[in-house]
Amino acid sequence: MQCNVPVIAAPPDTYPVNEIFESLQGEASFTGTPSVFVRLQGCPVGCPWCNAKHTWHVRPEREISVSAMTEKSELPCDSYSRCDVSTLANVVRAADAEHVVITGGEPCMYDLRPLIAKLEAWHHRVQVETSGTYVPLVTPTTFVTVSPKYEMPGGRTVLDEALARANEIKCAIGRRREIGVVLEKLDPIQQANGTPIWLQPLSASSRATAICIKAARRYGWRVSLQTNKFINIR
Ligand code: SF4
């Protein structure tokens, strides 16, 4: 199956923003950290189990105002607002949390450096969550979480440059054979760079969780649980 999602170049220093909300980071190294989430619109990777399919397409007819985006009540929703750096940074600044998570969609479709530089100048710590299929254009101090997506319908390749830039690698695991991919392609990076590998059970199923725990014990990896789901928050 081919996923023909076009990659739309954004005008310079603007970003299509699906939503901005505050919650706790529920996964991996920053679990439990109060965070502002900035969800960008657009992703051509096409993971069949994606829980953010509403972010895949950037359709001009679905563009809305910034205020309409920040006040969205109908969620999930594929509408988005095109925000310039100052507008977006000011919305983030109005929230309480110091930690900012830029997610998607696939945020690394866009050059994130102008936005992150502005947020860091205002003393935010910025984490970017990416599939590893684009080179992350981020500042040197950005915390990059790569969740590598291999052989997905969109046909994109996980890039060595993205994996080399990762501060952590987080793998969604549903089946036992996926452990072999982690062992072959990702464990050498942990061995070489010390980049922690997190296994995250797909859909928190008990079978996937057991596979993750067994592999983490055997190979020195970690298990990431989507803790926000346990307490029923986003
Ligand atoms: S990379 Fe993320 S947003 Fe894109 S299809 Fe996969 S899970 Fe969904």
Side-chain angles (χ1 to χ4, degrees):
M1 181 172 72
Q2 269 294 317
C3 179
N4 297 314
V5 180
V7 177
I8 298 176
D13 295 358
T14 72
Y15 305 93
V17 183
N18 180 280
E19 60 174 336
I20 300 173
F21 62 97
E22 285 190 80
S23 187
L24 297 179
Q25 171 58 282
E27 304 174 1
S29 301
F30 286 103
T31 295
T33 305
S35 305
V36 189
F37 288 81
V38 177
R39 187 182 303 285
L40 300 187
Q41 190 79 15
C43 180
V45 178
C47 307
W49 37 261
C50 176
N51 61 9
K53 288 181 177 168
H54 59 289
T55 65
W56 286 9
H57 302 274
V58 184
R59 295 189 173 98
E61 69 273 20
R62 298 297 290 151
E63 187 172 337
I64 58 177
S65 68
V66 175
S67 59
M69 181 272 293
T70 57
E71 292 164 13
K72 266 187 193 181
S73 56
E74 180 205 339
L75 292 167
C77 174
D78 68 345
S79 61
Y80 65 94
S81 175
R82 191 165 288 286
C83 299
D84 61 40
V85 168
S86 291
T87 303
L88 183 44
N90 275 306
V91 175
V92 170
R93 194 183 199 183
D96 290 327
E98 174 191 312
H99 189 71
V100 181
V101 182
I102 304 178
T103 188
E106 174 44 86
C108 290
M109 287 171 65
Y110 309 105
D111 183 350
L112 300 171
R113 290 171 293 191
L115 173 62
I116 296 174
K118 182 98 170 168
L119 292 170
E120 289 182 338
W122 288 348
H123 306 294
H124 287 283
R125 178 179 55 224
V126 179
Q127 176 183 9
V128 171
E129 297 181 331
T130 175
S131 63
T133 60
Y134 288 82
V135 175
L137 298 175
V138 298
T139 66
T141 44
T142 304
F143 188 95
V144 177
T145 301
V146 176
S147 299
K149 305 296 191 301
Y150 291 102
E151 297 179 11
M152 289 299 155
R156 294 199 59 85
T157 302
V158 176
L159 303 175
D160 290 342
E161 285 162 283
L163 290 169
R165 178 59 184 83
N167 296 96
E168 65 179 5
I169 297 171
K170 187 176 64 183
C171 306
I173 300 293
R175 287 174 288 188
R176 197 177 310 278
R177 69 167 181 258
E178 291 159 356
I179 297 298
V181 176
V182 181
L183 201 53
E184 179 195 344
K185 297 181 186 291
L186 304 174
D187 190 60
I189 298 168
Q190 176 169 298
Q191 299 301 330
N193 305 342
T195 311
I197 293 175
W198 295 85
L199 306 181
Q200 190 160 286
L202 206 54
S203 306
S205 78
S206 53
R207 185 166 174 272
T209 303
I211 292 169
C212 290
I213 291 172
K214 186 175 177 187
R217 291 174 64 180
R218 181 166 180 188
Y219 298 114
W221 303 331
R222 307 175 186 184
V223 177
S224 169
L225 304 172
Q226 293 174 293
T227 54
N228 50 313
K229 293 189 176 175
F230 298 156
I231 52 175
N232 207 22
I233 61 172
R234 301 177 70 201

